[in-house]
C-alpha cells in the first residue's frame, strides 16, 4: 500500500483516484486537459500526482494524455474525415503538426492509416481461436506487375476494403484472362493500392511479369520498388461452409482484420515504422484457393525507428 505524502493523511486508495483521473481525461480529451487540472481534480499536487501516476502506469502523465488523444483521433480517421478537421478537434493547430505527432506515436502517417483502415475489429479473429503469427522479414528486389484495375478518388471510400477486386467484376473472369494473355513465369496474384498526391487511388490486381511485352491496351502496369518488408501470413480459414452456403468470404474478412492488427497493434510494439517511400501489397497464391486452411500474405514496407 502506498501512503499519501501529505503530512497527517491516512492511507489512500490510489487505484480509485487514478481510475477517476482517467475518466476525467477521457471526458475532456478534446479539450487538451492540463496536468494541473487533472491532479487538482484527483485532490493532489501536480508533483505528487505525476509521481504516483508514473508508478502505476509506467509512463509520464502527459505522455499518457498525448497518446490517449492520438488514439481517439485515430478512431475519428476511420470515418474518412479530413485530417485537418480531426486535428483541430483534438487541439492541434495544423495538419502537419498533427501528422508529425501521429507518425511519431504510431510509426505511420494519418494518410497511410486512412487508406488502409477498415471497420473490421481484428480482435474478432483472435476470439475465434486464430493467431496472427510473427511476421518474417525480407529484402525484396523491385519487380513488375501487369493486370487489371480501377481508378477512383480516395474520398469515395474505395481503399483496402477492395481486398479482392476481381470478385466485383461482372464480366469475364479476370484471373483466367490475365494468365492467358500475360503467361507469367509463376502463379500468384498481387493486389496493390497506390494513392497520388491529388488523392487519386489506383487499385491494381495483377501478376508478376518479367516485362510488359504482352500487356494489352486495357491493362495497367506498375513497378514495385525494392524494399524491406515485414510479411504477415493471415490465419488459416475454412472456405467449405462458405462454398456451400454462399456466406461472406472468410478470407476477405481475415485479410481486413490482419490489416487492422498490423496498424493498431504490431507497429506500436515493434522497432519499425511504415516506409512511406515504398508500397505495400497483398499476395495471393495457390494457398488461398483451397477450401481448407486458406491463407494469403500481406507485405508491409518498413524501416527502423529513428
Amino acid at each position: 500500500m502506498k501512503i499519501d505524502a501529505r503530512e497527517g493523511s491516512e492511507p489512500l486508495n490510489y487505484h480509485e483516484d487514478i481510475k477517476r483521473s482517467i475518466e476525467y481525461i477521457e471526458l475532456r480529451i478534446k479539450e487538451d486537459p492540463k496536468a494541473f487540472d487533472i491532479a487538482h481534480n484527483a485532490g493532489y499536487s501536480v508533483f505528487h500526482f505525476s509521481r504516483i501516476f508514473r508508478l502505476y502506469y509506467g509512463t509520464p502523465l502527459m505522455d499518457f494524455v498525448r497518446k490517449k488523444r492520438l488514439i481517439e483521433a485515430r478512431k475519428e480517421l476511420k470515418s474518412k474525415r479530413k485530417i485537418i478537421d480531426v486535428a483541430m478537434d483534438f487541439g492541434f493547430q495544423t495538419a502537419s503538426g498533427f501528422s508529425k505527432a501521429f507518425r511519431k506515436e504510431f510509426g505511420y502517417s494519418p494518410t497511410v492509416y486512412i487508406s488502409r483502415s477498415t471497420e473490421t475489429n481484428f480482435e474478432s479473429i483472435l476470439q475465434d481461436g486464430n493467431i496472427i503469427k510473427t511476421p518474417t522479414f525480407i529484402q525484396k528486389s523491385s519487380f513488375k506487375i501487369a493486370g487489371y484495375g480501377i481508378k477512383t478518388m480516395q474520398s469515395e471510400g474505395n481503399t483496402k476494403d477492395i481486398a479482392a477486386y476481381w470478385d466485383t467484376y461482372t464480366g469475364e473472369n479476370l484471373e483466367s484472362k490475365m494468365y492467358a494473355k500475360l503467361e507469367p513465369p509463376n502463379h500468384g496474384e498481387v493486389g496493390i493500392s497506390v494513392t497520388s498526391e491529388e488523392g487519386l487511388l489506383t487499385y491494381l490486381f495483377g501478376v508478376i511479369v518479367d516485362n510488359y511485352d504482352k500487356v494489352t491496351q486495357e491493362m495497367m502496369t506498375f513497378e514495385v520498388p525494392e524494399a524491406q518488408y515485414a510479411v504477415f501470413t493471415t490465419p488459416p480459414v475454412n472456405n467449405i461452409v462458405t462454398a456451400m452456403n454462399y456466406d461472406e468470404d472468410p478470407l476477405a474478412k481475415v485479410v481486413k482484420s490482419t490489416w487492422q492488427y498490423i496498424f493498431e497493434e504490431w507497429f506500436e510494439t515493434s522497432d519499425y515504422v511504415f516506409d512511406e517511400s515504398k508500397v505495400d501489397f497483398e499476395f495471393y497464391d495457390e494457398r488461398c484457393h483451397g477450401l481448407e486452411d486458406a491463407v494469403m500474405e500481406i507485405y508491409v514496407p518498413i524501416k527502423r525507428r529513428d
Side-chain angles (χ1 to χ4, degrees), residues 248-260:
E248 178 187 3
D249 180 4
L251 182 60
K253 181 179 179 180
V254 83
V255 169
K256 296 177 185 179
S257 296
T258 304
W259 274 110
Q260 287 301 96

Side-chain angles (χ1 to χ4, degrees), residues 78-293:
K78 283 189 176 183
S79 64
K80 312 301 181 184
R81 293 181 61 201
K82 292 182 179 180
I83 293 174
I84 184 59
D85 292 340
V86 174
M88 297 295 286
D89 276 356
F90 285 88
F92 292 89
Q93 299 303 310
T94 64
S96 60
F98 172 66
S99 296
K100 182 178 180 180
F102 194 97
R103 184 183 288 107
K104 182 178 180 181
E105 181 62 45
F106 300 124
Y108 46 86
S109 69
T111 302
V112 167
Y113 181 72
I114 289 172
S115 66
R116 289 150 182 84
S117 64
T118 74
E119 294 302 322
T120 303
N121 183 357
F122 72 84
E123 293 179 351
S124 65
I125 65 173
L126 303 181
Q127 293 170 355
D128 291 337
N130 293 311
I131 298 175
I132 300 177
K133 296 181 180 179
T134 302
T136 58
F137 299 91
I138 67 168
Q139 185 75 25
K140 190 173 180 61
S141 300
S142 63
F143 60 95
K144 295 178 174 62
I145 303 173
Y148 299 94
I150 56 174
K151 292 184 177 182
T152 183
M153 292 304 294
Q154 184 174 330
S155 60
E156 295 176 6
N158 295 306
T159 57
K160 282 295 181 183
D161 288 354
I162 315 174
Y165 163 67
W166 56 93
D167 284 346
T168 69
Y169 190 76
T170 57
E172 60 185 298
N173 186 284
L174 286 183
E175 188 175 345
S176 298
K177 182 179 178 181
M178 187 166 53
Y179 276 97
K181 289 182 176 294
L182 294 173
E183 298 179 342
N186 298 299
H187 181 274
E189 301 91 47
V190 175
I192 191 166
S193 296
V194 182
T195 305
S196 69
E197 294 182 359
E198 295 76 24
L200 180 65
L201 174 72
T202 300
Y203 181 84
L204 171 62
F205 164 54
V207 291
I208 300 174
V209 295
D210 293 330
N211 52 61
Y212 299 137
D213 293 349
K214 298 179 181 179
V215 173
T216 58
Q217 187 174 3
E218 73 273 17
M219 291 183 179
M220 300 171 63
T221 63
F222 186 78
E223 184 161 354
V224 180
E226 179 179 3
Q228 182 183 12
Y229 293 97
V231 184
F232 294 82
T233 301
T234 56
V237 296
N238 189 328
N239 282 316
I240 295 178
V241 176
T242 301
M244 294 173 60
N245 300 327
Y246 301 99
D247 290 337
E248 178 187 3
D249 180 4
L251 182 60
K253 181 179 179 180
V254 83
V255 169
K256 296 177 185 179
S257 296
T258 304
W259 274 110
Q260 287 301 96
Y261 165 79
I262 293 168
F263 281 90
E264 296 186 5
E265 184 81 10
W266 184 79
F267 266 119
E268 291 189 36
T269 58
S270 76
D271 296 325
Y272 299 92
V273 298
F274 188 94
D275 187 349
E276 296 185 43
S277 67
K278 310 298 181 181
V279 293
D280 55 291
F281 60 91
E282 300 169 351
F283 183 68
Y284 302 82
D285 58 17
E286 63 278 354
R287 294 172 298 169
C288 76
H289 297 308
L291 292 180
E292 293 186 84
D293 297 329

